[in-house]
Amino acid sequence: MENERIIPPSELIINEDGSAFHIHLKPEQLRDNIIFVGDPGRVDMVASYFDKIDYEVSSREFHTIGGTYKGKPVMVISHGIGPDNIEIVMTELDALANVDFKTRKVKSEHRALKIIRIGTSGSLQEDLHIGDFVIADKGTGFDGILNFYADRDKVCDLEFERLFCEHTGWDKSWAAPYTVDADKELVEKIGRDDMRRGFTIAAVGFYAPQGRMVRLKLKDPDLNEKIESFRYEGRPITNFEMESACLQGLSKLMGHKAMTVCCIIAERRANNANTDYKPKVRHLVETVLERM
C-alpha cells in the first residue's frame, strides 16, 4: 500500500527546519490556489495585488509569497526556466500536500491543488500577435521527463503524439514527445474571449529546441516549419514555451489541476520580438487573479 511506505530521506529530502529541500516551504505554508511564474522578480509584482502577505520565502530561483487575494488564500511561486525545475517544484508541492513530513508516509486523504502558470511565449502562427494571450489546451513536451514516470500513457494524448512524430519525422535520438491536456475545469474558469485556446510546444531549451540558431547549426533546420504546418483535428500548434507539458502531465499523475496561459512576446514567423512586455504580463496577472 502506498500510504504504508516510508519514503527514505534520500528520496524526499526535508530540511532541518521541516521545509521541503529546494523550495524551503513548510506544510503549513501551502495554499490550495497557486500561481506559477518563471521569473523570481515577477513574484513581487503578483503579490502586490494581495490583500495581505503572510510569509515570503526565497531559495535559489524559487521565490514564494503567500497571502490572500480578496479574502481567498493564495500563493505565488517562481519556478525558474525549464521543465526540470517544474518537476522539482511540483514534486515538493505535492509532498507538502500529501506526505506527512513527520512519519514520511503518504496521507490517507488526498489534497488537490489548483495551479495556474502565467508565462511568456513565442507564436508560431500568423494570426497570433505580440500581446495576445494563449492557453495551452494541450502541452507537448520535448523534454521527456514524463516518460520516466509509470502510467504516463494514461494522462497523455497518444494519437496526437503518434501523428505529430509522423508529420515531423521525429528524430529517434531525441526524447519522445508527450502531450497532455490542461485541466478543463480551470480552462473554463480562466479562459474567455480575450484568450486563445491553443496547442503549445514546451521545448526543452530556448535556442536549438525552438529552432533558434546563433552559432551552432541545427540538426533539423526544417523542424519549425513542420511544427507550424501540423494540424490535429483541424487545429494548428500555436506557440512555443518551456513548461506547460511537464506541469500539466505531473499534475494529472498527482491528482492536481493545472493549466498554463502565456502572453505572446515574439512572433517567430515574422521574426519580431518585444522586450517591453511587462505591462501586458501585468494585465494577464490581473485577469487571472480576478478569475481564479
Side-chain angles (χ1 to χ4, degrees):
M1 296 288 291
E2 184 187 35
N3 58 3
E4 292 301 318
R5 173 178 173 248
I6 297 176
I7 303 170
S10 60
E11 299 198 15
L12 176 62
I13 303 172
I14 299 173
N15 298 315
E16 289 185 5
D17 65 355
S19 64
F21 182 57
H22 294 92
I23 62 178
H24 276 254
L25 292 179
K26 299 176 182 179
E28 61 268 22
Q29 294 174 315
L30 184 65
R31 303 287 190 266
D32 289 340
N33 296 287
I34 305 172
I35 290 178
F36 275 20
V37 294
D39 183 358
R42 198 172 295 157
V43 170
D44 290 308
M45 185 266 282
V46 175
S48 70
Y49 293 97
F50 291 1
D51 309 326
K52 66 170 184 172
I53 291 174
D54 297 322
Y55 67 84
E56 181 172 5
V57 176
S58 289
S59 174
R60 309 187 193 196
E61 59 266 67
F62 311 116
H63 179 199
T64 309
I65 295 178
T68 60
Y69 177 77
K70 294 191 174 180
K72 176 184 286 188
V74 65
M75 58 183 271
V76 55
I77 183 170
S78 62
H79 52 71
I81 298 175
D84 48 342
N85 280 6
I86 291 291
E87 190 210 27
I88 289 171
V89 175
M90 277 304 304
T91 301
E92 296 189 4
L93 288 176
D94 177 72
L96 289 170
N98 293 302
V99 175
D100 186 318
F101 273 31
K102 293 180 179 177
T103 65
R104 293 185 163 272
K105 292 182 179 180
V106 175
K107 296 176 182 177
S108 57
E109 187 173 337
H110 180 265
R111 180 179 177 183
L113 307 174
K114 293 180 181 179
I115 302 163
I116 302 169
R117 193 181 85 78
I118 299 172
T120 55
S121 181
S123 71
L124 290 168
Q125 302 299 330
E126 291 179 344
D127 62 343
L128 264 179
H129 304 294
I130 289 171
D132 289 348
F133 300 152
V134 183
I135 290 173
D137 253 0
K138 293 182 185 291
T140 297
F142 285 0
D143 52 271
I145 286 176
L146 213 67
N147 302 334
F148 287 88
Y149 288 89
D151 298 325
R152 62 82 82 193
D153 285 3
K154 293 181 180 179
V155 302
C156 290
D157 188 331
L158 303 181
E159 181 68 1
F160 186 107
E161 294 170 6
R162 182 183 68 80
L163 293 173
F164 178 82
C165 288
E166 287 179 0
H167 181 84
T168 57
W170 192 255
D171 193 296
K172 292 183 178 179
S173 68
W174 299 335
Y178 59 91
T179 299
V180 188
D181 289 353
D183 180 78
K184 288 181 171 53
E185 180 184 307
L186 273 186
V187 170
E188 288 299 321
K189 192 173 185 179
I190 302 300
R192 307 281 170 83
D193 292 341
D194 54 352
M195 295 180 184
R196 169 90 168 262
R197 298 188 184 188
F199 295 159
T200 299
I201 296 293
V204 69
F206 185 78
Y207 290 99
Q210 295 187 38
R212 290 184 173 95
M213 187 171 69
V214 181
R215 285 206 318 118
L216 301 179
K217 293 181 180 179
L218 304 177
K219 187 170 187 181
D220 184 355
D222 301 320
L223 180 59
N224 274 19
E225 185 177 331
K226 297 172 188 175
I227 292 171
E228 291 161 10
S229 63
F230 176 71
R231 297 292 183 275
Y232 184 70
E233 298 179 346
R235 295 172 60 187
I237 290 174
T238 48
N239 58 311
F240 265 132
E241 48 86 78
M242 295 177 65
E243 293 90 10
S244 62
C246 189
L247 170 61
Q248 292 169 191
L250 288 176
S251 293
K252 283 188 182 294
L253 287 174
M254 294 170 175
H256 305 300
K257 297 177 181 295
M259 63 167 285
T260 289
V261 57
C262 287
C263 177
I264 297 297
I265 65 168
E267 298 176 31
R268 296 299 304 278
R269 294 185 71 171
N271 292 320
N272 292 330
N274 176 26
T275 56
D276 185 24
Y277 55 82
K278 290 183 179 180
K280 283 288 186 179
V281 172
R282 179 177 284 274
H283 177 57
L284 180 55
V285 167
E286 293 169 354
T287 301
V288 169
L289 281 170
E290 197 62 29
R291 295 176 184 174
M292 71 181 298

